[in-house]
Amino acid sequence: MQKKLLKEKFIGALVGTFVGDALGMAVEGYSLERIKADYGQIDHMLEARLGSGTYTDDTEMMIGVAESLASVGGFDGEDMANRFIDNFNLDRGYGGGTIQALNNIKAGTSWQEAGKHIFGNGSFGNGSAMRVAPIGLYYYDKYEELKAKAKKSSLITHAHPLGKLGAALQALVVGYVINQDPRQNLSQGDCLKFLANTLEIEDTEFSHKLKITKELLANKPKPEEVARKLGNDTRVFSSVPTAIYSFLANVNSFSEAVMYAITLGGDTDTLGAMTGAIAGAYHGLNAIPQKWLKSLENKEKGLDYVIELGEKLFELK
Ligand code: R7I
Ligand code: MG
Ligand code: MG
């Protein structure tokens, strides 16, 4: 692939996370029906908690993942955990399990142990998948390493086997689409087959959901059915497959994919962030509408900073 396109795709995955997160934030927790009644489709940044065009924990943590990979030159759990702690801003809206794990680390527990007993057996929230795109970029040319590093990055806060698997699935789909040329037609079937064959998901929630994804793609169902069958909540198996579906069902357009994901309701900032990461990694930065880019926050660690992080990761490769 041309270097110029690959660079666009690296930056697109990070900015895609940011745009999807910011677009979905204002309606996080709304039902599909409420979004439909109040807004129809959300095609501009609404006024939100920290102002329109601002990001939430999804992007704040993605920034931590990217910063760590870029500064160390690969995965380092202790460094990544410290970045999460340094960047942490409670007002961005963090999940309870993640807050606990980061507090454990601050209190001296190692990053390998900090998340192990949250919710009993570790969290399977979507917090480690929503932030994982930079791992998909950094290891896009080595899928075995990509999976292993994604799982380790999850362990910091989401130690449950399904939490780790969900992060690996999201990183893997990002890595896969980085390798695909957006000017050629992407085969939905090949993509799903690749994911099922490359990750050890057999007999898990994920294999079940990917099978449903394939059926839904063939049937062009209403969004209500997609949300009901794939899920739209904060559990990782109820959101990563939904993001993959949203991308594949709208494979020719970054904006259609992200707006579709948010229309499904529920964990909308995260569905937007994960779909934006995949669609951005596939299409590249140029496919993200200017009107959205212009409305993103751009002070400290804002849009320009995220673009620079994408460039840095690309240069390192
Ligand atoms: O995963 P996490 O960081 O939350 C991310 C979400 C995203 O929507 C962000 O935008 C932000 O709003 O928060 O936080 P966790 O608390 O680890 O997990 C999220 C939720 O998943 C929990 O509140 C639980 O509802 C659910 N969950 C579990 N439920 C039962 N048993 C996670 N693990 C378990 C479990 O083991
Ligand atoms: Mg969030
Ligand atoms: Mg969310």
Side-chain angles (χ1 to χ4, degrees):
M1 190 177 305
Q2 271 178 310
K3 267 194 177 175
K4 189 170 167 285
L5 175 61
L6 192 58
K7 184 171 172 183
E8 285 288 316
K9 285 158 79 69
F10 266 57
I11 300 169
L14 303 194
V15 175
T17 304
F18 185 171
V19 167
D21 180 19
L23 202 62
M25 155 162 63
V27 293
E28 187 181 22
Y30 284 29
S31 68
L32 180 153
E33 290 77 16
R34 184 170 174 199
I35 293 175
K36 202 196 219 175
D38 289 3
Y39 302 101
Q41 204 166 35
I42 295 175
D43 62 359
H44 64 281
M45 302 289 165
L46 300 167
E47 208 36 63
R49 220 166 41 240
L50 299 177
S52 121
T54 56
Y55 58 76
T56 79
D57 58 330
D58 303 47
T59 302
E60 187 157 270
M61 295 200 92
M62 178 280 286
I63 288 173
V65 173
E67 286 174 339
S68 182
L69 292 170
S71 87
V72 176
F75 177 77
D76 178 322
E78 194 177 330
D79 184 82
M80 197 173 281
N82 287 329
R83 305 259 171 196
F84 292 156
I85 290 167
D86 287 347
N87 289 339
F88 185 86
N89 173 0
L90 188 61
D91 293 338
R92 301 268 187 198
Y94 279 73
T98 294
I99 295 174
Q100 260 185 58
L102 296 182
N103 280 338
N104 289 345
I105 296 171
K106 269 197 270 185
T109 311
S110 74
W111 66 272
Q112 294 98 328
E113 295 295 322
K116 278 203 174 147
H117 304 294
I118 289 164
F119 298 113
N121 201 20
S123 172
F124 51 62
N126 55 19
S128 61
M130 72 192 186
R131 69 185 186 221
V132 82
I135 302 237
L137 305 181
Y138 197 86
Y139 298 102
Y140 82 101
D141 49 353
K142 313 169 202 149
Y143 291 133
E144 285 308 309
E145 220 174 326
L146 179 155
K147 290 188 290 176
K149 303 301 187 194
K151 286 180 184 169
K152 281 200 168 166
S153 75
S154 177
L155 180 61
I156 303 172
T157 49
H158 293 69
H160 193 285
L162 288 172
K164 292 193 281 185
L165 208 50
L169 179 58
Q170 173 68 12
L172 190 62
V173 69
V174 167
Y176 178 77
V177 300
I178 281 284
N179 286 301
Q180 310 304 313
D181 189 328
R183 292 161 302 198
Q184 281 154 18
N185 278 337
L186 182 107
S187 154
Q188 298 168 332
D190 286 354
C191 177
L192 290 174
K193 230 183 271 169
F194 167 82
L195 296 173
N197 291 342
T198 310
L199 203 59
E200 299 68 32
I201 57 171
E202 228 169 291
D203 298 322
T204 67
E205 287 277 350
F206 294 106
S207 58
H208 174 61
K209 289 283 173 72
L210 290 188
K211 266 185 217 135
I212 298 176
T213 298
K214 193 177 166 200
E215 289 162 15
L216 291 172
L217 284 168
N219 296 338
K220 304 217 183 325
K222 288 200 171 139
E224 285 82 353
E225 187 182 344
V226 174
R228 182 162 45 80
K229 290 189 169 164
L230 292 178
N232 62 2
D233 61 60
T234 57
R235 293 170 303 170
V236 71
F237 43 80
S238 302
S239 46
V240 171
T242 317
I244 294 172
Y245 175 87
S246 299
F247 164 67
L248 289 175
N250 301 279
V251 73
N252 291 320
S253 162
F254 175 88
S255 53
E256 292 295 329
V258 170
M259 287 192 295
Y260 180 87
I262 292 169
T263 303
L264 296 173
D267 193 1
T268 49
D269 64 332
T270 305
L271 289 172
M274 297 192 301
T275 307
I278 307 168
Y282 181 60
H283 295 286
L285 178 66
N286 282 334
I288 304 180
Q290 275 297 327
K291 64 166 186 181
W292 287 354
L293 295 178
K294 280 196 193 121
S295 54
L296 295 175
E297 70 172 286
N298 201 11
K299 290 186 201 134
E300 208 200 335
K301 300 200 180 181
L303 177 62
D304 289 341
Y305 185 74
V306 170
I307 291 175
E308 271 168 43
L309 281 174
E311 286 169 349
K312 261 191 212 158
L313 290 177
F314 174 77
E315 300 304 335
L316 277 170
K317 296 304 285 183

